[in-house]
Amino acid sequence: EDTRASFYDCDDQDFHENLADSQCRHVQVKLEHGATDGEGIELFVRKFPARDRHQGDIWLIAGGPGESGASFYADIDFFRDTFSHYDVVVPDHRGTGYSSKLCMPEETRDSVDGIALAGEEWGSCFGKLYANLERSSSFTQRNAAYDLDFLISTLGSNKRTLIYGVSYGTSLVLEYAKIATTKIDGIVLDSLVPAPTDTFNTISFRSHTTDRVGQTLLKRCAEDRNCRLGKHAPAIYRQLLNDLDSGIDIPGMDRVPNGNLRQLFGTFLDVPSARNRIPDIIFALSTRDADAGTLLGDTVKSAEAYWADILQFPQAKTSIPLTSIITGSEFNARPNLTPEMVVAENAKLGFTSPLSGFLANGGFPLYTAPDPLPMPKTMPPVLVLQGTLDNKTPYAAAVDRLEILRAFGKVELVSFEDAPHAIYITSQDCLAAPLSRFAKNPSTIVSETCRAGPNAVLFQ
């Protein structure tokens, strides 16, 4: 069978110009890999044909857990131009996008809020998760890795095979590499997650990770004569938080979603332009500037616009049930974390993430994570892409894991100065050259540093 011809024109090609020539395929797999009978599920795959003479395939593996392949669609031309001799293939993990979901029909495109859960759908969703624990416990990272192996071995062109994983996708790609039945010619790990043994950098400590990046920003501000907060920037922000925590009414705070300034600033760290305005916002709030609300509102809108291109695709909505179940089962170093502990810890921090709270307030049925598989004796060339101001997968933790991986093959690091999470979104200008070299010959990768460029920390 010519697997390249087994795809069909996608039914949503008219939705956006980036999807205009995309081809789709639904594939049936077992709910539990290795089972000879029992329930099956459906996996959705979208392919963007090579623009030049076809030499192989590059598979883009999204993050999350819970994100679909649609997180790549807004930037798909970057990959198609950089890997112009490759079909760009983008699967939806089981439980995400247009693949089979944990809650059906609640998470399907024809439900009340599309693939996102509407308020009235949560109850029936939880009921199904608990009514069929065996099914709920089959949406694991291990089974997702076997899904990936099946897809690549059956839909791949049997030419050069490259894999590009982002965030959680880097963990999934490394899990896949342990069980792969098809030769992998090269791997790119964008925003590498910490090693499983690196407890303090796991998701249960995500607010601490976020705060370290935020405090780095304030220290840079204190050392920069152009920053309005001056040399006492960290202390000024701490006093502002103390005022807010003590109930003082500060003009402009009505523009902060849920009144949670710590969490809002944590999200701003992902968006370079919004990140750079944090000191100005702190200054405006601290001085009780009447225009603080306008500044906050404008920055929130700019951050929302930054993500709007990605989120415009109906397929792009994250599956909260899948995120919660996999994270709680496989990536929670503190299973005894309570909401009270999260509140107490966050009160001591200046920049926070909601993820620790989600773990503490979960309520989702969890499974026992499988025992880890051994690493393959040899790995294909691995190129790690890491931002130095990544507030989700910390730079130092990525370097530590990179050193572990070097025991199994050639591993090189491209460092992106001042870049936040997800290099393919933030740093295409600097990323194109190393990826182009990788596309031509993965074994020629080298470690290098990309200057800050549009990601630079700048105060005005």
Side-chain angles (χ1 to χ4, degrees):
E1 178 188 13
D2 180 3
T3 56
R4 296 190 74 222
S6 63
F7 285 76
Y8 55 84
D9 289 345
C10 300
D11 61 11
D12 58 359
Q13 286 184 340
D14 293 337
F15 178 81
H16 191 282
E17 61 183 356
N18 286 11
L19 306 182
D21 63 342
S22 65
Q23 300 173 338
C24 292
R25 178 80 184 265
H26 289 83
V27 178
Q28 298 289 327
V29 297
K30 289 295 184 184
L31 176 65
E32 191 67 46
H33 280 273
T36 55
D37 54 13
E39 182 182 350
I41 61 170
E42 191 172 77
L43 302 176
F44 175 82
V45 184
R46 190 186 300 267
K47 182 173 71 174
F48 299 86
R51 288 176 166 165
D52 294 323
R53 185 176 60 84
H54 179 259
Q55 296 178 355
D57 316 306
I58 178 165
W59 293 74
L60 305 185
I61 310 304
E67 289 182 20
S68 75
S71 59
F72 291 107
Y73 294 170
D75 298 284
I76 203 67
D77 280 340
F78 170 74
F79 288 100
R80 297 186 74 181
D81 290 343
T82 307
F83 295 89
S84 62
H85 293 281
Y86 293 79
D87 287 346
V88 180
V89 192
V90 191
D92 286 349
H93 309 317
R94 60 169 60 199
T96 74
Y98 293 157
S99 291
S100 292
K101 311 301 278 291
L102 275 160
C103 294
M104 300 173 72
E106 293 89 346
E107 290 190 281
T108 57
R109 67 168 95 180
D110 295 326
S111 67
V112 177
D113 197 20
I115 67 172
L117 283 172
E120 63 266 33
E121 294 176 322
W122 280 94
S124 58
C125 175
F126 266 100
K128 289 176 180 176
L129 293 175
Y130 278 97
N132 193 343
L133 290 174
E134 183 177 358
R135 183 178 189 276
S136 302
S137 299
S138 295
F139 283 73
T140 65
Q141 178 181 238
R142 180 72 50 83
N143 273 331
Y146 279 111
D147 290 344
L148 189 54
D149 183 58
F150 181 82
L151 293 174
I152 292 175
S153 61
T154 56
L155 300 183
S157 62
N158 297 318
K159 294 184 178 181
R160 182 177 285 176
T161 299
L162 306 178
I163 317 289
Y164 188 111
V166 181
S167 193
Y168 162 74
T170 66
S171 177
L172 178 55
V173 167
L174 290 172
E175 184 78 355
Y176 157 65
K178 298 173 182 178
I179 53 96
T181 57
T182 301
K183 181 177 180 290
I184 307 170
D185 295 289
I187 292 174
V188 180
L189 302 176
D190 180 337
S191 305
L192 176 60
V193 300
T197 54
D198 188 357
T199 303
F200 188 62
N201 285 306
T202 57
I203 289 177
S204 61
F205 286 101
R206 176 59 59 80
S207 284
H208 296 76
T209 299
T210 301
D211 188 62
R212 288 197 298 275
V213 173
Q215 297 301 333
T216 297
L217 177 72
L218 293 182
K219 290 175 184 175
R220 298 263 297 264
C221 167
E223 297 166 355
D224 190 323
R225 66 179 61 185
N226 293 317
C227 188
R228 303 180 71 181
L229 283 179
K231 62 182 180 180
H232 299 298
I236 293 172
Y237 183 41
R238 172 45 59 188
Q239 183 58 53
L240 172 64
L241 293 176
N242 290 342
D243 290 347
L244 290 170
D245 293 343
S246 63
I248 294 176
D249 185 25
I250 297 178
M253 281 298 297
D254 59 314
R255 306 298 293 272
V256 176
N258 302 312
N260 192 336
L261 189 64
R262 292 170 170 90
Q263 190 166 300
L264 178 65
F265 281 172
T267 63
F268 283 176
L269 293 176
D270 278 320
V271 183
S273 59
R275 178 191 64 194
N276 291 350
R277 299 178 82 174
I278 288 175
D280 291 334
I281 296 172
I282 295 172
F283 182 84
L285 292 172
S286 297
T287 58
R288 310 304 192 255
D289 188 331
D291 292 329
T294 300
L295 176 58
L296 265 163
D298 289 346
T299 308
V300 168
K301 287 180 181 178
S302 71
E304 291 173 343
Y306 184 85
W307 297 115
D309 284 348
I310 292 175
L311 298 176
Q312 68 181 303
F313 298 95
Q315 206 176 336
K317 295 177 180 177
T318 295
S319 170
I320 300 301
L322 185 71
T323 299
S324 301
I325 290 176
I326 292 184
T327 301
S329 301
E330 303 199 38
F331 297 98
N332 186 4
R334 296 194 289 172
N336 297 321
L337 191 67
T338 65
E340 293 75 19
M341 291 169 61
V342 173
V343 169
E345 289 180 359
N346 286 354
K348 299 176 183 178
L349 305 175
F351 302 79
T352 62
S353 163
L355 288 185
S356 303
F358 289 158
L359 286 177
N361 290 283
F364 288 90
L366 304 182
Y367 55 84
T368 300
D371 292 333
L373 297 171
M375 290 290 294
K377 292 182 179 180
T378 57
M379 288 277 288
V382 176
L383 183 64
V384 177
L385 315 173
Q386 204 74 24
T388 62
L389 290 182
D390 188 328
N391 69 308
K392 290 186 170 68
T393 54
Y395 181 82
V399 172
D400 289 343
R401 190 167 197 185
L402 177 149
E403 294 300 333
I404 296 172
L405 293 175
R406 277 184 168 154
F408 305 95
K410 181 179 177 63
V411 183
E412 300 295 340
L413 170 67
V414 182
S415 302
F416 293 80
E417 288 186 349
D418 292 352
H421 195 65
I423 298 302
Y424 80 94
I425 297 175
T426 66
S427 309
Q428 293 179 11
D429 57 331
C430 201
L431 179 57
L435 277 193
S436 294
R437 292 194 297 270
F438 178 85
K440 292 176 183 176
N441 185 352
S443 65
T444 62
I445 54 175
V446 295
S447 291
E448 56 187 302
T449 297
C450 269
R451 300 302 175 191
N455 294 313
V457 172
L458 295 173
F459 308 110
Q460 300 183 9

